[in-house]
Amino acid sequence: MDPYVIEMNSNSNLPSVLDVHVNIGGRSSLPGKMKGRKARWSVRPSDMSNKTFNPIRAIVDSSKVKPNPNKATIALSIGDPTVFGNLPTDPEVTQAMKDALDSGKYNGYAPSIGYLSSREEIASYYHRPEAPLEAKDVILTSGCSQAIELCLAVLANPGQNILVPRPGFSLYRTLAESMGIEVKLYNLLPEKSWEIDLKQLESLIDEKTACLIVNNPSNPCGSVFSKSHLQKILAVAARQCVPILADEIYGDMVFSDSKFEPLATLSSNVPILSCGGLAKRWLVPGWRLGWILIHDRRDIFGNEIRDGLVKLSQRILGPCTIVQGALKSILRRTPQEFYHNTLSFLKSNADLCYGALAAIPGLRPVRPSGAMYLMVGIEMEHFPEFENDVEFTERLVAEQSVHCLPATCFEYPNFFRVVITVPKVMMLEACSRIQEFCELHYHCAEGSQEECDK
């Protein structure tokens, strides 16, 4: 018997032998059907990687502009509240992490959807009488970004479409297109504090629409929808039978003159997957803990969507266990004063920035009501030497060393986004430099000399 053939017990459903092919002395024993293959290296990136595109990275990374060496750089472009060290998380949050680490209880694998005890804490924290939650309604994720990814993956197939705000967070398109999902953009209206153009939104819906993304409070706009506007959005979703992915990572980060309404508290009919996380409210974006809250009181998602989320979560086996172990203390022991102080600082900076930029000819800032951003319109007819917002912001860097993201990154040309988390003295200096830049480059539009002379 050939020593490289292993006998198998006879079975009608199995081959009688298992061939073990080896190469001895350079002689191949591959089966005949493989002999015609010409061996050569041919390693190519996958379709998924080729379809993955981040508009922010594409614009920022392609820029060759160097800041003015005579002026210190001020970055109003980075949506990370920790960058300048002026917004530390609360000591209770840090202590909770130290305690979890020192306990030695959280060094192993957790269930892919998160520890039951951690999911119970989230359910209890976000439970509302109008939108009840139990642990089974919570999936813990590696940051809010993964929560959004799982929701898109469970709701939409390649060839279907999703409805995404314009201007909106660029990650929605990045994730969707990598999965072969079409993105349809609905408009937000700056003259209405970035409310949704509901008629235009509804006109986009067709039989291939898998979900509607609602981001409230908004990145990049800093807008907060009123209760009545949210009810109108829900009415469209109910009428068209389209589920909602609610990106509420900035939930509760609203200024004193506004109120955050969790979308799920306003409807018992529309199924909603609400995404959140520790990143922004607790000022720890690097800790990568997010969650999905499943609101499905009419059982429209049923077990299939829930089971699908569990299966998808098993691809990376959940978020960091140490952060999960700290979650109970973070949610229960963070003092209200911490939240209040963070929001007071953001509102103060927002008011300062809005007031300063509103006084500059050629700029039209839109007053924010929450989150960490504001959007500024550029009256391009008054800056004829710049073709668009990308050129405007590049020259702002080159001349004044002030970095702002052009809103082309958010599919909304001729605006730029300002991050309002920088220290007050830097915000004042940045606004002063932007004023100097605009005064230097401002030109009266044709036929408007009278206006300029005033």
Side-chain angles (χ1 to χ4, degrees), residues 21 113 345 386 449:
H21 299 283
I113 57 174
F345 171 82
F386 307 128
Q449 189 60 45

Side-chain angles (χ1 to χ4, degrees), residues 201-233:
L201 164 68
E202 192 158 10
S203 73
L204 298 174
I205 298 172
D206 61 24
E207 70 281 354
K208 290 186 176 180
T209 301
C211 80
L212 161 64
I213 296 182
V214 177
N215 176 210
N216 180 53
S218 165
N219 174 13
C221 301
S223 53
V224 180
F225 292 147
S226 67
K227 182 176 182 178
S228 62
H229 189 61
L230 289 169
Q231 287 169 329
K232 290 173 185 173
I233 298 167

Side-chain angles (χ1 to χ4, degrees), residues 184-195:
K184 289 187 172 186
L185 299 169
Y186 65 82
N187 293 327
L188 306 182
L189 304 170
E191 67 275 15
K192 293 188 175 181
S193 299
W194 301 110
E195 286 191 344

Side-chain angles (χ1 to χ4, degrees), residues 118-134:
S118 303
R119 290 185 289 117
E120 285 173 340
E121 289 297 325
I122 291 291
S124 173
Y125 191 82
Y126 288 101
H127 173 92
R128 301 287 184 276
E130 315 89 334
L133 286 167
E134 300 175 31

Side-chain angles (χ1 to χ4, degrees), residues 350-421:
D351 289 345
L352 184 160
C353 183
Y354 174 81
L357 298 185
I360 300 174
L363 298 186
R364 292 178 287 104
V366 182
R367 187 184 290 278
S369 299
M372 308 188 317
Y373 315 97
L374 67 80
M375 287 277 275
V376 184
I378 310 166
E379 295 175 342
M380 296 305 299
E381 67 273 18
H382 292 297
F383 300 98
E385 63 194 284
F386 307 128
E387 191 174 322
N388 51 40
D389 56 305
V390 176
E391 281 193 16
F392 181 97
T393 53
E394 284 183 344
R395 285 285 290 279
L396 183 60
V397 172
E399 295 179 20
Q400 298 291 343
S401 298
V402 175
H403 287 262
C404 298
L405 273 186
T408 292
C409 294
F410 309 107
E411 321 253 9
Y412 210 78
N414 302 333
F415 275 71
F416 61 89
R417 187 190 74 172
V418 174
V419 175
I420 58 173
T421 57

Side-chain angles (χ1 to χ4, degrees), residues 311-388:
K311 291 174 186 175
L312 289 167
S313 75
Q314 291 167 350
R315 294 193 300 173
I316 69 161
L317 296 180
C320 175
T321 52
I322 297 169
V323 189
Q324 291 187 57
L327 197 53
K328 178 178 178 179
S329 294
I330 290 172
L331 297 178
R332 294 190 182 193
R333 289 177 14 197
T334 303
Q336 287 301 313
E337 184 185 16
F338 166 74
Y339 305 126
H340 173 77
N341 290 344
T342 302
L343 290 175
S344 293
F345 171 82
L346 292 175
K347 180 171 178 11
S348 174
N349 251 14
D351 289 345
L352 184 160
C353 183
Y354 174 81
L357 298 185
I360 300 174
L363 298 186
R364 292 178 287 104
V366 182
R367 187 184 290 278
S369 299
M372 308 188 317
Y373 315 97
L374 67 80
M375 287 277 275
V376 184
I378 310 166
E379 295 175 342
M380 296 305 299
E381 67 273 18
H382 292 297
F383 300 98
E385 63 194 284
F386 307 128
E387 191 174 322
N388 51 40

